[in-house]
């Protein structure tokens, strides 16, 4: 502990600590703010700064670990009273402490801004630990690179950029799973797959600390082999952990369905994960708008968020994408239009099929606009082919009888499809 305390006091990183905190908070709020108020989403958001802190700290670790070589103190370092692995470990630990505290400050900020709307609960530790493992892995890589190539400029720059590029290209949730981009309540980071990633990070630290060296009292090839044994063992462990990370599958897996999902009091019932409680007022309003649709429209009695029904899940279950209700309204519109029209059949020819699909697309778009209370959002691009979204936005402002007549025409077009 004494050597760690000395390293913390003299580390130049103490002057960079405010920059680390500022970087964490800037990434936290600069990327998006829709995560505020949902604990799993806030947890995933608090983890994302690790994607940037890791390469930054890798660059610093590379610079710091090369100082001894650049200053010509290698011999004194090797002949010191303390084992070299303790000194190297203290160097890494100092970087981890400064980086970890800055990362923790960002997590506390995310918790503070979410607490009011999120209700009972707290940040999910699994997401925070996933980000911490990424930071630790990058620091270990940077430290090792600095020992091997003690350049004061080239090594830190190359190491930081290399970590950023490698994490960007291979660390995504569907690849190595070193980080995640969102934390939908339907999924979670499982302990086993998190442990494998921590195993990779810790074994990388061991490799960085126990790089090959000649032990005092041993000379010749025998001494070199004995000196390399710890590093060879930890390197093999690191390779095994990396293989485990690459073959274990996605870092996020489906959660067990809750015993009591949160549902609206208004019919039709709209049910979501308990962690999505902040959306209930908006979902109540959507349920009221569904119940106010013209009599010609038939609605299911209940709608469920993705994952709530487990093995009984259907493709019409809705999701809340980045806090937007449009995705949910769009999924509900498809379920309603299919309930309001005859069962699907194969059209007799392409003309009938095209007419039916166009009627479906326009009916779906109108229903989504009615359910959401507005037309398609300006930041939402695309949509069903051949549908004039501006015309749909004007249509939902017309008197109810006019909209009902329009809906009847779309349903009639579907019903009039000649089947093979």
């Amino acid at each position: 502990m004494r050597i760690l305390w000395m390293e913390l006091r003299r580390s130049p990183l103490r002057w960079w600590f405010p920059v680390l905190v500022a970087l964490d908070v800037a990434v936290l709020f600069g990327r998006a703010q829709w995560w505020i108020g949902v604990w799993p989403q806030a947890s995933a958001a608090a983890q994302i700064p690790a994607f940037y802190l890791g390469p930054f700290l890798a660059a610093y670790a590379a610079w710091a670990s090369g100082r001894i070589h650049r200053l010509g103190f290698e011999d004194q370092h090797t002949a010191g009273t303390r084992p070299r692995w303790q000194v190297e470990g203290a160097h890494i630990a100092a970087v981890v402490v400064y980086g970890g505290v800055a990362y923790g400050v960002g997590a506390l900020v995310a918790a503070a801004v979410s607490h009011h709307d999120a209700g009972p609960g707290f940040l999910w530790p699994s997401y925070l630990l996933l980000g911490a493992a990424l930071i630790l892995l990058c620091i270990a890589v940077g430290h090792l690179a600095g020992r091997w190539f003690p350049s004061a400029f080239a090594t830190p720059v190359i190491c930081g950029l290399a970590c950023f590029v490698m994490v960007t290209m291979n660390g995504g949730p569907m690849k190595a799973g070193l980080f995640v981009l969102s934390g939908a309540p339907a999924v979670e980071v499982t302990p086993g797959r998190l442990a494998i990633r921590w195993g990779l990070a810790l074994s990388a630290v061991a490799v960085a600390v126990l790089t090959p060296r000649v032990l005092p009292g041993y000379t010749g090839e025998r001494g070199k082999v004995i000196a390399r044994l710890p590093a060879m063992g930890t390197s093999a462990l690191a390779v095994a952990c990396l293989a485990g990370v690459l073959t274990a599958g996605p870092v996020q897996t489906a959660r067990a369905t809750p015993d009591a999902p949160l549902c609206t009091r208004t019919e039709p019932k709209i049910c979501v994960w308990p962690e999505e409680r902040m959306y209930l007022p908006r979902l109540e309003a959507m349920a009221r708008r569904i119940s106010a649709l013209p009599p010609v429209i038939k609605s299911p009695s209940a709608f469920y968020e993705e994952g709530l029904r487990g093995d009984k899940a259907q493709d019409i279950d809705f999701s809340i994408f980045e806090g937007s209700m449009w995705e949910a309204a769009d999924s509900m519109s498809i379920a309603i239009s299919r309930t309001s029209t005859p069962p699907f059949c194969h059209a007799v020819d392409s003309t009938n099929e095209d007419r039916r699909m166009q009627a479906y697309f326009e009916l779906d778009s109108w229903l989504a606009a009615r359910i959401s209370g507005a037309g398609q959002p300006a930041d939402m691009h695309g949509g069903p082919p051949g549908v004039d979204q501006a015309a749909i936005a004007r249509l939902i402002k017309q008197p109810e009888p006019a909209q009902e007549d329009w809906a009847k025409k779309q349903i009639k077009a579907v019903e009039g499809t000649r089947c093979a």
Side-chain angles (χ1 to χ4, degrees), residues 22-310:
L23 174 62
D24 191 297
V25 175
V27 173
L28 185 64
F29 292 103
R31 179 176 175 267
Q33 297 182 26
W34 53 264
W35 50 267
I36 297 174
V38 180
W39 284 126
Q41 294 288 13
S43 305
Q47 163 264 170
I48 288 177
F51 179 87
Y52 300 93
L53 288 175
F56 183 94
L57 292 170
Y60 174 81
W63 178 86
S65 65
R67 282 182 299 173
I68 293 173
H69 304 274
R70 293 194 301 271
L71 297 175
F73 294 155
E74 175 65 19
D75 292 339
Q76 294 92 320
H77 185 50
T78 303
T81 56
R82 295 182 180 276
R84 182 164 182 169
W85 67 267
Q86 290 186 11
V87 179
E88 299 293 344
H91 289 170
I92 292 179
V95 184
V96 170
V97 168
Y98 280 113
V101 172
Y103 178 60
V105 169
L108 290 177
V109 171
V113 298
S114 293
H115 187 268
H116 180 268
D117 294 323
F122 195 67
L123 298 176
W124 291 13
S126 57
Y127 285 112
L128 302 181
L129 289 172
L130 181 66
L134 175 58
I135 291 174
L136 183 60
L137 177 62
C138 290
I139 291 173
V141 171
H143 184 89
L144 186 61
R147 288 192 62 189
W148 285 351
F149 309 101
S151 169
F153 179 77
T155 301
V157 171
I158 293 174
C159 185
L161 290 176
C163 284
F164 184 79
V165 171
M166 291 302 295
V167 172
T168 301
M169 295 180 62
N170 300 293
M174 301 309 296
K175 293 185 178 180
L178 300 177
F179 67 92
V180 298
L181 295 172
S182 65
V187 295
E188 63 183 349
V189 176
T190 55
R193 297 182 183 184
L194 178 63
I196 293 175
R197 284 151 181 84
W198 264 94
L200 175 61
L202 292 174
S203 59
V205 170
V207 171
V209 171
L210 300 172
T211 47
R213 62 186 176 88
V214 177
L215 293 174
Y218 290 93
T219 58
E221 291 301 320
R222 181 171 176 268
K224 293 179 181 179
V225 171
I226 294 175
R228 290 192 179 104
L229 287 178
M232 291 169 61
T234 54
S235 298
L237 178 61
V239 171
C241 289
L242 179 60
V245 166
L246 298 177
T247 59
V251 66
Q252 290 172 304
T253 57
R255 288 177 68 196
T257 56
D259 296 331
L262 286 181
C263 299
T264 60
R265 295 183 299 272
T266 308
E267 294 293 338
K269 185 170 62 174
I270 302 177
C271 299
V272 294
W273 287 84
E275 292 80 7
E276 306 267 36
R277 59 176 55 87
M278 68 170 292
Y279 297 120
L280 273 182
R282 282 187 274 177
L283 294 171
E284 291 278 4
M286 293 172 68
R288 288 193 295 269
R289 286 191 285 267
I290 293 174
S291 64
L293 288 169
V296 69
I297 300 298
K298 310 299 180 185
S299 170
S301 60
F303 299 90
Y304 295 89
E305 189 178 7
E306 287 183 355
L308 282 179
R309 294 196 274 184

